[in-house]
Every structure is written in C-alpha cells, then in structure tokens.
Amino acid sequence: MTAPHVIVLFGATGDLAKRKLLPGLLRLTQAGLLTDTRIVGTSLEQLTTEEFVAKARAACAEFGKGQLDDGKWEIFAEMLSFVSQSEGPHALAEAVRKAEADLGAPGEVQLLHYLSVPPKAALSVIRQLAEARLVDRARIIMEKPFGTDLESAVALNNEVHEVFDEDQIFRIDHFLGKEAAQNILAFRFANGLFEPIWNRNFIQHVQIDVPETLGLEGRTAFYETTGAFRDMVVTHLFQVLAFMAMEPPTSLAPGPISDEKLKVFRSMKTIEPHDVVRGQYNGYRGKEEVAEYSDTETFIALRIEIDNWRWAGVPFFLRTGKKLAEGARVISIAFKEPPLSMFPAGSNAGMQGPDHLTFDLADQSRMSLSFYGKRPGPGMQLEKLSMQFATHETASAVGVLEAYERLILDAMKGDHTLFTTAAGIEALWEKSIPLLQNPPPVRAYAPGSWGPNAIHQLIAPHAWRLPFERSWRESNNYSS
C-alpha cells in the first residue's frame, strides 16, 4: 500500500464477514499485503472489542485456509477494534480517528468502507458516513444488488453520488475477482493465436453456466424482492459476458476496460421475454415469507445477442439457478465447424459436436480446449481430444488470492478494473425493460434436476454442455 489504511467493516458480525471478509483480511495480512492497516468492525450487535476479536478468531478458524498460527493471529488481532452502530455516527468517527492515531499518520490515512449489509440498509450507512464526516480520503465497497430496475438503479446512484463521487465507489462482483475470469483477458489479448478468431466468423455460440446446489432457506425474504435475474444475471453473468465479448482496450487500466465493457452493454439487444426461460423449484412456495402463488424465479436461462461488428448473429446463452444437481461456474465457447465431407463415412467427423474452449471459474480454475484428432490405428477414425491447464497445478499456485481478497486489495489501491460502474449498471437495466415489464411465467422444476425442460428448446439446435448434461448431449450426438 502507498498509504496507511483504516478499513471500516459494516456488518462485521454477518455471514459474509465470517465466511469471506475476515478470513480474507487475515490472509492478506499474513501475506504481507496489509501493512499499516487497522480494521474497525461495526454492526448492530452490542460487543466489546475483545468479544469481536473472539468472534473473528472463531470465523477465521472455521473458514480460513490452513492452520491458525497463534503468533500470526496476534498480529492480526491487534489490528481489530469494534464499535456498535447503535452508538451513532459520532462514536464511529471516534473509533476511526483512534485507529488513525494508532497508525501515527492522522490526516494521511486512506479510508475503505466495506458495506456488508442488506441492500435496504446501504443508504442509511452512507448517510451515517456523511454525518460522521468519513467521506474525504475514503473509498466505499458496495454489495449487490445495485437496484432492481432502471428507475431504482438511477435513484440509488443519485443518492450515493450525493455523498461519494463515482471514482470513490467500488460495486463488487466476486465473479470477476476470480483468477480464471482475469485469465480471460490474458488469454485473449496476450496471444496472437486466439484474438484473431474471437469473433462471429469463427465462433458459433457461447454459454455461461452457473448452476448452484444450494437452496434459499433463510434467504427467501430477500429473494422475493429480487429473483435469479436480478440476483445473479445483472450483477454476475453479464459482467463475465462483458469480459468475453469486449473489444481490446487501449490498456489494461481501469478506465479503458470500463469503457469497453460499457460498449458491450450498450450493443446488447434488449432482452425479450420469448428469449427467456424462468423456473422455480418445487417446495419454494408457501414457506418462509413466500406467497402461495409466488412468481419469483429461482432459475433463469436466457439468450443474449450483441449487435456489433464482432458478435452480430452469435448467440450467448446464460443459465443459473438454485437447487440444481451440481454446482459449477463455466464459460464454454463453441467454434464453427469446418467442411467435413472429405472424411469417409463412419470416421466420426463432426459426430461429437464442435470444438470448444472452456473456462472453469471455480476456485480451482481450469481451462480446456477440445478438438478432433485421429485415433491411433488403421483407417481414418476421429476422436475428441483435449488440452487442459489448471491454475492449482502451477508453481505459482500458492500466490493465488481468493476473489474477495483480490477485490479488497484492488479497492485499497483505487483500481476499478474488476468493479462495475454506475453507467454500466444503468445500461443493463435499460436493456432488461421488456423482460421486467412482461416476464414469462415460471415453470416448476424438481430440486436436484437441471431446471425446466424448456431450456433445451431455448438453445436448440445447440445443446447445453455441462458434464451433468452428458447423457442428453450424447443422445443428440454432442460431446463434453
């Protein structure tokens, strides 16, 4: 860090803080990436600093990586303090000033406010920061969702901009913090092999697939006001799509990358209801604040088109849902097939689907390229082969940061590359107006399945490509 930092963690006793933020901050400290830093935790709970430190240690022991070394923990524990939000903005300001004084550089310390709070509480926290005069020299990390439609997004951005300038705001998307997501940029723009074929002349279609096995127990009240489209597609899948589809930026700096992502969003065709399949798993209705006839989708699949010179005519298929049979985060690019009439009958040419390039965005990130090759032996028999790369198998795997760790570090540096802008969010909500005004009905699906059957009609004549769809694909002459 170029300047000492005080991190103010709102929602410091919440689930996200326990699972990701506190263990992530500990790991950054142990890696020597957080120096001259203090962390002020705050929430609605009434705790002493000692009680908060004990909770933080329990969270890091349960969710952190590796053994919790006593000596290293003590270094981190000394960075922590706590103040209850119920004590008001002046108590918060005093806790921050004390942390600044501990660093020995009052007036020079950079502030980072992490709002790990429910969306409805974000604006009240921002007003509290204004009242506490903790805006100057400050950056703020905001969690999704960023509005629920164009009108609410514009209103939210306007209210936040009354207190913070846009360059102070970091709208976080943990998908883009993953090593594999950033590897898309390196893969595309650092290699002369792939960028020349990254267009409509060579690519048949693209799939972005994020199925989840978890249900919505304990989160149904939140989901009733959002649904899968608002919760996952606008904030996550569209951001990944922009990395896949954007033009080469003038540099890998925050400004040029944000400009190119925004061009993708503005080039998207509006999302029409007939290009969308919405689903709801059986058992969701009638429980935990869910109406008996709730129309909220827990699953969504959609077809997206980008009407520009690079992508016109290439469909992008996006899919995500809860209580599906397996969890994954996969981008799959299908290349157009060449003429195959030269190969003799029975050679298997084209029978296992097109060549694919696959990015696995899971924590153990992988890339693979599938293609046809000759099967050893007499005659011309083809089979699908694969070249694979896995980050965790490389010598530098020990240096891989988890998504939240990387994004917190980037925000402390003021690097907006992996964050979403107000203009980008508003452009996406504008493209979503037809779908939000006239959504197709939800279709029931069984927990542990792969969503409503209508998804196969949506993607036809292609096929969904995740491993758990293998039996369906093989019956249609497709391969993984």
Side-chain angles (χ1 to χ4, degrees), residues 144-154 157 171-173 176 208 229-243 245 258 260-272 276 302 304-306 316 318 419-437:
K144 63 168 186 171
F146 313 115
T148 55
D149 54 21
L150 179 59
E151 182 180 1
S152 62
V154 170
N157 286 331
R171 298 170 187 82
I172 195 167
D173 172 17
L176 295 188
I208 301 175
F229 179 75
R230 293 178 171 92
D231 180 47
M232 291 293 295
V233 177
V234 175
T235 53
H236 293 322
L237 274 64
F238 280 160
Q239 307 304 321
V240 174
L241 181 150
F243 265 31
S258 294
E260 298 304 334
K261 287 172 61 181
L262 182 57
K263 289 178 186 177
V264 172
F265 299 149
R266 288 175 172 168
S267 297
M268 284 171 49
K269 292 185 176 181
T270 54
I271 306 168
E272 301 295 338
V276 178
L302 56 164
I304 299 296
E305 292 192 27
I306 300 172
F316 288 72
L318 281 56
F419 295 87
T420 306
T421 65
I425 285 293
E426 291 174 12
L428 290 173
W429 285 124
E430 184 176 7
K431 299 295 182 180
S432 306
I433 289 174
L435 172 63
L436 297 178
Q437 289 182 340

Side-chain angles (χ1 to χ4, degrees), residues 77-219:
E78 289 175 3
M79 297 164 57
L80 301 176
S81 62
F82 186 86
V83 59
S84 175
Q85 278 192 264
S86 61
E87 295 181 34
H90 299 297
L92 177 63
E94 179 58 31
V96 171
R97 302 302 174 221
K98 183 179 184 303
E100 288 183 317
D102 289 346
L103 293 171
E108 300 177 15
V109 176
Q110 183 77 46
L111 304 180
L112 178 68
H113 307 303
Y114 197 122
L115 272 60
S116 178
V117 297
K120 61 184 179 182
L123 286 177
S124 64
V125 169
I126 288 170
R127 295 186 193 105
Q128 184 181 19
L129 289 170
E131 190 174 346
R133 297 184 179 180
L134 295 175
V135 175
D136 293 341
R137 295 178 284 109
R139 301 182 179 112
I140 181 169
I141 296 179
M142 297 185 65
E143 284 280 348
K144 63 168 186 171
F146 313 115
T148 55
D149 54 21
L150 179 59
E151 182 180 1
S152 62
V154 170
L156 174 63
N157 286 331
N158 288 342
E159 288 202 54
V160 176
H161 287 155
E162 289 180 3
V163 179
F164 290 94
D165 294 334
E166 179 64 19
D167 63 0
Q168 293 178 280
I169 303 166
F170 293 76
R171 298 170 187 82
I172 195 167
D173 172 17
H174 69 272
F175 272 44
L176 295 188
K178 294 182 176 296
E179 198 75 27
Q182 295 168 73
N183 214 3
I184 295 170
L185 297 179
F187 197 83
R188 285 188 59 186
F189 301 131
N191 299 293
L193 179 62
F194 292 101
E195 181 57 24
I197 61 172
W198 210 268
N199 56 59
R200 59 192 171 101
N201 296 321
F202 297 94
I203 291 178
Q204 182 189 78
H205 72 276
V206 177
Q207 298 179 30
I208 301 175
D209 242 321
V210 186
E212 296 182 284
T213 57
L214 295 176
L216 290 163
E217 292 77 8
R219 297 183 64 216

